[in-house]
Amino acid sequence: MDTTSAVPVPLPTEGIHLRSGGVSVVVSPDAEGQPVIAHWGADLGALSASELRALAFATSPAVSHSALDRPRRAGLVLDLNSGFTGTPSLEGARLEGPSIEPRLGDWTWTPTSGTSGILTGTDAEAGWRVGVHLALTPRGLLRIRTEVTNLGASLLSLAAVRTVVPVPAEAAELLDLTGRWCKERTPQRHPFVQGSFMRNARHGRTGHDASLMLVAGVPGFGFRHGEVWAVHTAWSGNHTTYAERTPEGESLLGGGELLAPGEITLAQYETYQSPWLLAGYSADGLDGLSAEFHAWLRSQAPARNRPVIVNTWEAVYFDHDLDRLVALADAAAAVGAERFVLDDGWFLGRRNDLAGLGDWIVDPQLWPQGLHPLIEAVHERGLEFGLWVEPEMVNLDSEVIRAHPDWVLRGRTALPGEWRHQQVLDLQHPGAYAHVRDQLMALLDEYDIAYLKWDHNRDLIDVTHEGRPAVAGQTRALYRLLDELRAAHPEVEIESCASGGGRVDAEILTRTDRIWPSDTIDAIERQHLQRWTGLLVPPEMMGSHLGGPVAHTTGRAHRLGLRAATGLLYHFGIEWDLTTLSPDELEAVGAWVSLHKRIRPIISTGTYVRGDHPDPAIVVTGVVSEDLSEGWYVVAAVAATGTQHPAPVRLQGLDPQATYTLTDETPGSGQHSASLSPTWADDPDGIALPGVVLARTGVRLPPTAPDTARVWRVTRG
């Protein structure tokens, strides 16, 4: 078959075999011609047409008692007319005339490359045409989405369009993430039993409690071991991600946009396209999954070193004074920072969080010459300039809402409850959309702005547009706004921040450059939530800042070493009033910035690794260069260790056949040691060991005080 052709052909009788990155996806027609994913997992090698037919036959179920008089398999599109009694892929109804459940047929295959194509089925009687897009990335990540076209003359109201993939029965344990503000991405695990485990997100944004990734694996899987299958719903609005095991023996993972009644209604020949479902398989545990997802997200943006940021929020809050900010820029330059970000408080009427949102013009009372004096001072000190914005939100106390009260996104006559004293701007309203787009464009046109910190500080509650639920349209309008800004100013980097980690998903990351994983920069909380956020997000796309001695959100105090080491392997920044530091403290911060810059070249291209340490007090995170010649590891003690002598730390991701020199590179590391005698870490020349020893046996962690961290480097030689 010519896989470069874009012409539809009948679904081949032998099926379709996509292979890439050590992964195979086999789609076979069942006895009635319905496409079925017969295999998704480890690469099966090159299979002939006869072998593909034999695989389909060998994996087909028999007819059982008290069932349809024909074999039934869970198809690519799960429909109730086939006898499937679980969660259907498609739900919808016609607003006029008869409405029947779709039963698709006449399936065609349109290859778009050797590893991608579209399967299309039609039900002329019900008036549905459904296309399922499949694309296997070079690293083996399966991207799959479903589109529905209304062929009927009457309106078709969609209730659900879900995309589903099967997993084998051996995947008997589930893992996903939950959380809340300042404690995002908390893991939870449980058996994969019969029934449905469904994670619905109804925040109008991705949500602090979003599952992020739903993983099914062999019992006991970890970061570095066990077969695992996982899905991520790549969507920034309301969505669902679920696992389902049926009494008939099917095990399924799926997801899609979570639609409100009447939200999506299709006229004749109109098409709805679902979000992408990203589906990953790994034989090597969660780190193997992350490598696939990271490679895909990195392919959407060029690899580059991310500038060290100094953000003003926890340094000055709303107190915007030119002299004070210039002094902060002086200190930022002194410690080696490269980008200065002016946070909330610069725009019209903004003295606190009660007013001003929606008026994205520089406040002339605060800044009579605009932001030019500050930006010039920042540039003179060798720093780029960045700016905080929250374009989707408005305060009622703003010029835009006084002029256009109808631009507030609402459902009922009464306004939705306020959240941080703010409401939502209706981006589906042409005037509101043009207002925010034009004001942002004017800022980017007038000022040399290298970076936008794009915030979103509330959930969407009781919101409609022109009488219909508004979350789906609001989300697509956001994407359009980001796309317009990026097209006009491709040099500007954008951070997705939503009161911290409330909008972390793969779709927003195709339009932005990094996420802010949480509003907390408490080092203990960050050690946990960053490594779990790393299931999906590459480390260089994850902002992590060195904060002050006492965490703003938790009130806990931490040593400088732990605070700095926690951000070392990510997009490093500082959120601290550096003007209050002593010369010694500035020198210490500068040492950590310099260390980050040493590591930075491999952060955006290397492999992110996490260690499974037997003591939960020890958190091991690392990054290893593409060619396996160098690796850096942060070993953090987030609590008192359970034993006097902690278990050895295994350093993962290295070439097992190569010999590496291991050195302790922690700035001022000696002051953190609880050991009374010299250890290997005290030798500046380090120790030399094969990669297999470092990974299988590990090295002893010296007696370690809580609230400390060590930075280790391995070099092949």
mmCIF file of all heavy atoms in Angstrom, residues 69 176 198 225 337 412 464 482 511 556 608 641:
data_model
loop_
_atom_site.group_PDB
_atom_site.id
_atom_site.type_symbol
_atom_site.label_atom_id
_atom_site.label_comp_id
_atom_site.label_asym_id
_atom_site.label_seq_id
_atom_site.Cartn_x
_atom_site.Cartn_y
_atom_site.Cartn_z
ATOM 1 N N ASP A 69 -25.313 -13.174 18.921
ATOM 2 C CA ASP A 69 -24.971 -14.414 18.222
ATOM 3 C C ASP A 69 -23.829 -14.217 17.232
ATOM 4 O O ASP A 69 -23.797 -14.838 16.156
ATOM 5 C CB ASP A 69 -26.209 -14.954 17.481
ATOM 6 C CG ASP A 69 -27.313 -15.369 18.448
ATOM 7 O OD1 ASP A 69 -26.990 -15.688 19.605
ATOM 8 O OD2 ASP A 69 -28.485 -15.347 18.036
ATOM 9 N N ASP A 176 -2.931 7.977 38.758
ATOM 10 C CA ASP A 176 -3.150 9.294 38.188
ATOM 11 C C ASP A 176 -2.829 10.318 39.259
ATOM 12 O O ASP A 176 -2.364 9.971 40.355
ATOM 13 C CB ASP A 176 -4.569 9.450 37.633
ATOM 14 C CG ASP A 176 -5.616 9.603 38.721
ATOM 15 O OD1 ASP A 176 -5.446 9.018 39.804
ATOM 16 O OD2 ASP A 176 -6.607 10.312 38.497
ATOM 17 N N MET A 198 -13.437 7.505 36.468
ATOM 18 C CA MET A 198 -13.549 8.662 35.588
ATOM 19 C C MET A 198 -13.132 9.918 36.322
ATOM 20 O O MET A 198 -13.601 10.203 37.423
ATOM 21 C CB MET A 198 -14.988 8.787 35.082
ATOM 22 C CG MET A 198 -15.180 9.794 33.971
ATOM 23 S SD MET A 198 -16.756 9.547 33.091
ATOM 24 C CE MET A 198 -16.434 8.022 32.211
ATOM 25 N N HIS A 225 10.830 0.872 36.138
ATOM 26 C CA HIS A 225 10.551 -0.531 35.849
ATOM 27 C C HIS A 225 9.050 -0.741 35.651
ATOM 28 O O HIS A 225 8.222 0.019 36.162
ATOM 29 C CB HIS A 225 11.040 -1.436 36.984
ATOM 30 C CG HIS A 225 10.314 -1.231 38.281
ATOM 31 N ND1 HIS A 225 10.637 -0.217 39.157
ATOM 32 C CD2 HIS A 225 9.260 -1.885 38.833
ATOM 33 C CE1 HIS A 225 9.830 -0.266 40.200
ATOM 34 N NE2 HIS A 225 8.986 -1.257 40.024
ATOM 35 N N ALA A 337 21.437 36.754 36.777
ATOM 36 C CA ALA A 337 20.142 36.589 36.121
ATOM 37 C C ALA A 337 20.178 37.194 34.724
ATOM 38 O O ALA A 337 21.024 38.042 34.410
ATOM 39 C CB ALA A 337 19.035 37.224 36.958
ATOM 40 N N ARG A 412 -26.494 33.531 34.323
ATOM 41 C CA ARG A 412 -27.718 34.093 34.860
ATOM 42 C C ARG A 412 -27.664 35.621 34.822
ATOM 43 O O ARG A 412 -26.649 36.213 34.476
ATOM 44 C CB ARG A 412 -27.916 33.606 36.301
ATOM 45 C CG ARG A 412 -27.872 32.087 36.440
ATOM 46 C CD ARG A 412 -27.922 31.669 37.898
ATOM 47 N NE ARG A 412 -29.190 32.062 38.498
ATOM 48 C CZ ARG A 412 -30.324 31.372 38.397
ATOM 49 N NH1 ARG A 412 -30.332 30.240 37.712
ATOM 50 N NH2 ARG A 412 -31.424 31.781 38.973
ATOM 51 N N THR A 464 -22.135 31.449 30.033
ATOM 52 C CA THR A 464 -22.714 31.131 28.739
ATOM 53 C C THR A 464 -22.360 32.233 27.750
ATOM 54 O O THR A 464 -21.990 33.348 28.129
ATOM 55 C CB THR A 464 -24.253 31.015 28.796
ATOM 56 O OG1 THR A 464 -24.801 32.309 29.088
ATOM 57 C CG2 THR A 464 -24.701 30.014 29.839
ATOM 58 N N LEU A 482 -3.803 33.383 21.468
ATOM 59 C CA LEU A 482 -2.386 33.047 21.579
ATOM 60 C C LEU A 482 -1.757 32.878 20.195
ATOM 61 O O LEU A 482 -0.630 33.335 19.952
ATOM 62 C CB LEU A 482 -2.211 31.776 22.404
ATOM 63 C CG LEU A 482 -2.455 31.903 23.907
ATOM 64 C CD1 LEU A 482 -2.545 30.528 24.559
ATOM 65 C CD2 LEU A 482 -1.352 32.723 24.574
ATOM 66 N N ARG A 511 1.382 26.119 22.526
ATOM 67 C CA ARG A 511 1.228 27.550 22.242
ATOM 68 C C ARG A 511 2.006 28.427 23.216
ATOM 69 O O ARG A 511 2.000 29.647 23.076
ATOM 70 C CB ARG A 511 -0.255 27.926 22.310
ATOM 71 C CG ARG A 511 -1.077 27.316 21.200
ATOM 72 C CD ARG A 511 -2.558 27.528 21.417
ATOM 73 N NE ARG A 511 -3.305 27.267 20.202
ATOM 74 C CZ ARG A 511 -3.720 26.053 19.837
ATOM 75 N NH1 ARG A 511 -3.479 25.008 20.615
ATOM 76 N NH2 ARG A 511 -4.385 25.886 18.707
ATOM 77 N N ARG A 556 6.850 27.949 55.902
ATOM 78 C CA ARG A 556 7.973 27.112 56.331
ATOM 79 C C ARG A 556 9.295 27.738 55.909
ATOM 80 O O ARG A 556 9.388 28.355 54.845
ATOM 81 C CB ARG A 556 7.866 25.717 55.731
ATOM 82 C CG ARG A 556 6.811 24.862 56.374
ATOM 83 C CD ARG A 556 6.966 23.398 56.031
ATOM 84 N NE ARG A 556 6.752 23.111 54.625
ATOM 85 C CZ ARG A 556 6.343 21.930 54.164
ATOM 86 N NH1 ARG A 556 6.103 20.948 55.010
ATOM 87 N NH2 ARG A 556 6.179 21.730 52.875
ATOM 88 N N TYR A 608 15.188 13.236 31.271
ATOM 89 C CA TYR A 608 14.793 13.493 32.659
ATOM 90 C C TYR A 608 14.620 12.144 33.362
ATOM 91 O O TYR A 608 13.913 11.257 32.866
ATOM 92 C CB TYR A 608 13.484 14.269 32.638
ATOM 93 C CG TYR A 608 12.935 14.730 33.951
ATOM 94 C CD1 TYR A 608 13.573 15.696 34.712
ATOM 95 C CD2 TYR A 608 11.707 14.242 34.419
ATOM 96 C CE1 TYR A 608 13.030 16.155 35.899
ATOM 97 C CE2 TYR A 608 11.156 14.697 35.602
ATOM 98 C CZ TYR A 608 11.817 15.650 36.342
ATOM 99 O OH TYR A 608 11.266 16.104 37.509
ATOM 100 N N THR A 641 15.759 11.062 57.584
ATOM 101 C CA THR A 641 15.815 9.721 57.007
ATOM 102 C C THR A 641 15.400 8.680 58.036
ATOM 103 O O THR A 641 15.562 8.855 59.250
ATOM 104 C CB THR A 641 17.224 9.417 56.486
ATOM 105 O OG1 THR A 641 18.169 9.567 57.548
ATOM 106 C CG2 THR A 641 17.584 10.364 55.348
#
